[in-house]
Amino acid sequence: MSEYSKPLPAVQPWSRPFWEGTRENRLLIQECKACGAKIFYPRKACPECWSAELGWSEACGRGKVYTFTVTLTGVEEKFAGDLPYVLAMIDLDEGIRMMGNVVECDPGDVEIGMEVEVVFERVTDEITLPKWRPFRG
Ligand SMILES: [Zn+2]
């Protein structure tokens, strides 16, 4: 794993629980204790009411493809081995939208509205990335 050369997230104090969660194969999302809003990406204050009283809850890990693109060519060398790959925006059942790769399927089979579930790809000792695959039930 030490040869991982793609960009890694910069873990911030307010996003650390998210990355600790993915490392344990859990998808955690921020929740405002004042107004109940679900929040993604992680922040220091609620974007709905500005409360700083935020907590975390575990998402069910399911959602639907809101939109996506298939990358076929024209990428930096470090991504060439992934071609073709799907980058999608996923609407989680919890009502938030998250960007990520759709994996474990032919890119030609991905459709808007397709049901997906989270999978976790450990890329370094510290970072595990959430990705999405077709929902298998
Ligand atoms: Zn709030």
Short mmCIF file of all heavy atoms in Angstrom, two decimals, residues 32 35 46 48-49, ligand 1:
data_model
loop_
_atom_site.label_atom_id
_atom_site.label_comp_id
_atom_site.label_asym_id
_atom_site.label_seq_id
_atom_site.Cartn_x
_atom_site.Cartn_y
_atom_site.Cartn_z
N CYS A 32 -26.70 17.66 12.96
CA CYS A 32 -26.81 18.83 13.83
C CYS A 32 -27.69 18.50 15.03
O CYS A 32 -28.83 18.05 14.87
CB CYS A 32 -27.40 20.01 13.06
SG CYS A 32 -27.66 21.46 14.11
N CYS A 35 -30.80 21.33 15.10
CA CYS A 35 -31.93 21.32 14.15
C CYS A 35 -32.13 19.98 13.46
O CYS A 35 -33.10 19.81 12.71
CB CYS A 35 -31.76 22.44 13.11
SG CYS A 35 -30.56 22.08 11.82
N CYS A 46 -23.20 23.90 11.57
CA CYS A 46 -24.32 23.46 10.74
C CYS A 46 -24.61 24.50 9.65
O CYS A 46 -24.78 25.68 9.96
CB CYS A 46 -25.55 23.28 11.63
SG CYS A 46 -27.05 22.93 10.69
N GLU A 48 -27.29 24.87 8.11
CA GLU A 48 -28.70 25.27 8.16
C GLU A 48 -28.96 26.29 9.27
O GLU A 48 -29.73 27.23 9.07
CB GLU A 48 -29.59 24.05 8.39
CG GLU A 48 -29.45 22.97 7.33
CD GLU A 48 -29.93 23.44 5.96
OE1 GLU A 48 -30.83 24.29 5.89
OE2 GLU A 48 -29.38 22.94 4.95
N CYS A 49 -28.35 26.07 10.44
CA CYS A 49 -28.68 26.95 11.59
C CYS A 49 -27.44 27.51 12.28
O CYS A 49 -27.57 28.23 13.26
CB CYS A 49 -29.54 26.19 12.60
SG CYS A 49 -28.64 24.98 13.58
ZN ZN B 1 -28.55 22.90 12.48
#
